[in-house]
Amino acid sequence: MVTITVDMDKCQSYGQCCFEAADVFALNDDGQLEYVAEADESRRADIEGAADVCPMQAITVE
Amino acid sequence: MNTNSVAASVVVVGAGLGGLRAAEALRGAGFEGAITVVGDESAMPYNRPPLSKEALSAGVHVAELEFRRKASVDDVDWRLGSPALASDFAARTVTLADGTQLSFDGLVIASGIRPRRLPIAGPEAGRHVLRTAHDAVNVRSYLAPGRSAVIMGAGFIGCEVAATARGLGAEVHIVAIDEQPMVRPLGAELGMGMRSRHEHHGVNFHLGRTVQEFLGGDHVTSVLLDDGTELPASVVIEAVGSVCNVEWLEGNGLDLSDGVLVDQGMVVAAEVPVVAVGDIARHPNALFGNIPRRIEHWNIPTETGRRAGASLASLLRGEQPDQAPFAAMPSFWSDQYHHKIQSFGMPGIATSIQIVDGSANDACIVEYSNDTGLVGVVGVDRTSELAPYRKQLLDR
C-alpha cells in the first residue's frame, strides 16, 4: 500500500500532481487539492512521479 | 562499450534537479553500477525557485529546500563543492577543479546554467546575482526598510525579487531594456498588467533603459543609467539572463553555441555514451515541431532527466534507447505579491496573444497562438482553471 501525505500549508494548488496521477489527486471546484491518502502498490510509480513534479515539494509518499 | 553492468560506472556532472532525476532514472531503468554525482555547490540537490520568493522572504535554510531523494540513489557517491573543469570523451574521463580525475563508462551532462554578468564599470562589492542559496543569503541581508535595491532585468526572477524586496520594506527600482516586464514570455498587454501590480506595491520601473556605470567607493552606492538618472543602491541584483556551463565540455567536438544538442532520447553521443538533461539540453519536443530548444522551466529537468537516465541505461547494456518522440509539456509558475501566474506550453513562440477571460489588470486567462494553433496558455490568479487548455496543448 502507498501512503500519501500532502502538506496543505505548502500546497498552492498548481495541480501538477493531478496530471501525473489523476486517480489520486484532483482540484475541486474551489481550486483546492483533494487526494486519497492510500493507494494500491501498483500506482506507486505515478504517485512518486506526482511528488517529483510538485513545484512546492509538498507531497510525501511512503 | 562495456555491457557488463557489474563494472559499468556513470558520472553525473551537476548536482541539481536534473542530475538527481537522471540518477534516479538510471536506477529505475535497472542500472546497478556505480553512480558519482559532481556538484559545484556544497549542498545536496535543492529547489531553487523559492530563492527569489518565500525563502528570500522568510530566510534561507538550504536543508529545508533539499529534494527528497528516492532510496534507489542512497548509494550514490556525491562529490560536492568542486566543479568539473574538463572532460575527454575519448578517454572517458572528467577532471574536477580540485584535480580529481573520474573515469566513466557513461556520462550525464547536468551542469546547467549560471547568471549572465554584464561588463559594467564601477565597484564590484554590492553587485549580486541570485542563483544559489548562498546568493540568496547575501541578497537578503540588504533587503530592509531604509535600503534601496536596484534590480537589473525585468524577467521572472527580477520581478519576483522585486515583490519580495517590497515585502521586506526595501525601496525597489527595476532597470530593463524591455518595454514591459516579463514581455517575452507573457506579451506586452499582460506584461503591462503585471507592471501595474508592481507599481501599486511601490516598485519604480526604468524601462527602455540600461545601466551605464556603478558609482561608489569600495561598495556600490548608486547606479547611473544611460539617460543620466542616478538611482540610490544599497545592493544591485543582476537578473539579466543566463549562460550555459559548457566550458568543461570543450575539446570533444560538440556544438556548444547554445547548450548541448540532444536527440529525442536526450542522447548527446551514443558511442561514448553521453546524455544531457535540464536547462543545458537543447532538445526536440514533438508538441512544438521538434525544433531543438533549451527550456529553462522548472519541470524540464525532471522530464529530461527521466528520459536521459533510461536512454543511458539502455546504451550501457548495448541496447538501442527508446526512439519514441519526446513530448513534455513545459510549465512554469510565479508568485508575485499575492498573485499567482502559471503557464503551460510555449507562450514565448506565439505571434498572436488573446485574453480570453478576465483582463490583464485582474484575474485572467490568456491564450498564445501562432500559425500552428494554440502554443501556450497563462493564467493569473486562475491557475486551477488551466487543465482544459493544457489538454488542448497536449492534443496538438
Side-chain angles (χ1 to χ4, degrees), chain A residues 12 14 16 52-53 55 59, chain B residues 68 70 298 331 333 335 340:
Chain A
Q12 294 289 324
Y14 285 112
Q16 299 281 20
D52 287 350
V53 300
I59 303 170
Chain B
R68 275 185 288 275
K70 293 188 178 61
W298 184 85
S331 179
W333 78 98
D335 292 304
K340 285 166 60 175

Side-chain angles (χ1 to χ4, degrees), chain B residues 32-333:
Chain B
E32 294 178 346
I35 301 177
T36 302
V37 181
V38 175
D40 56 347
E41 294 177 68
S42 57
M44 293 295 278
Y46 63 92
N47 203 17
R48 295 187 193 278
L51 297 178
S52 54
K53 303 190 271 278
E54 57 270 21
L56 186 61
S57 178
V60 183
H61 304 287
V62 69
E64 293 174 11
L65 299 176
E66 268 182 27
F67 291 109
R68 275 185 288 275
R69 299 179 298 276
K70 293 188 178 61
S72 63
V73 294
D74 281 352
D75 61 352
V76 164
D77 181 11
W78 300 88
R79 300 284 184 97
L80 302 176
S82 188
L85 274 195
S87 56
D88 183 336
F89 286 7
R92 294 192 174 83
T93 58
V94 171
T95 305
L96 309 188
D98 66 7
T100 308
Q101 190 171 74
L102 301 172
S103 296
F104 62 79
D105 298 298
L107 177 67
V108 179
I109 299 170
S111 47
I113 56 177
R114 62 180 182 271
R116 168 174 288 129
R117 301 294 306 274
L118 300 176
I120 295 172
E124 272 292 320
R127 295 177 60 177
H128 291 271
V129 295
L130 190 53
R131 172 73 183 164
T132 67
H134 182 69
D135 294 333
V137 168
N138 286 334
V139 168
R140 189 173 193 277
S141 69
Y142 290 99
L143 302 180
R147 314 296 286 277
S148 174
V150 173
I151 298 166
M152 293 170 59
F156 277 100
I157 292 176
C159 288
E160 288 169 358
V161 173
T164 304
R166 286 299 299 142
L168 291 169
E171 179 181 323
V172 174
H173 298 268
I174 291 181
V175 180
I177 191 72
D178 310 290
E179 72 267 32
Q180 298 296 343
M182 299 169 279
V183 66
R184 268 164 293 179
L186 298 184
E189 190 172 1
L190 185 52
M192 193 184 300
M194 291 310 301
R195 173 183 170 181
S196 297
R197 290 168 174 87
H198 279 275
E199 288 176 336
H200 175 74
H201 285 90
V203 172
N204 304 288
F205 281 92
H206 308 270
L207 297 170
R209 298 267 70 91
T210 57
V211 170
Q212 181 115 334
E213 190 179 352
F214 299 115
L215 304 176
D218 294 337
H219 193 284
V220 177
T221 53
S222 65
V223 172
L224 182 65
L225 306 189
D226 60 341
D227 66 351
T229 305
E230 188 174 339
L231 304 173
S234 314
V235 61
V236 175
I237 299 141
E238 302 180 27
V240 290
S242 54
V243 291
C244 293
N245 294 320
V246 293
E247 291 81 358
W248 65 280
L249 292 163
E250 287 169 2
N252 292 299
L254 300 178
D255 170 5
L256 301 174
S257 56
D258 182 26
V260 180
L261 182 66
V262 298
D263 69 8
Q264 74 279 357
M266 305 303 133
V267 177
V268 177
E271 70 284 1
V272 180
V274 182
V275 297
V277 304
D279 294 334
I280 202 170
R282 182 155 41 101
H283 62 275
N285 188 332
L287 296 177
F288 300 97
N290 275 321
I291 300 163
R293 295 183 178 96
R294 293 195 312 103
I295 300 180
E296 296 176 10
H297 290 177
W298 184 85
N299 72 321
I300 293 300
T302 292
E303 299 279 3
T304 56
R306 287 172 176 171
R307 187 63 179 265
S311 291
L312 187 55
S314 295
L315 289 165
L316 288 168
R317 282 193 296 265
E319 297 168 6
Q320 167 108 324
D322 182 2
Q323 296 296 299
F326 181 73
M329 181 61 62
S331 179
F332 66 80
W333 78 98

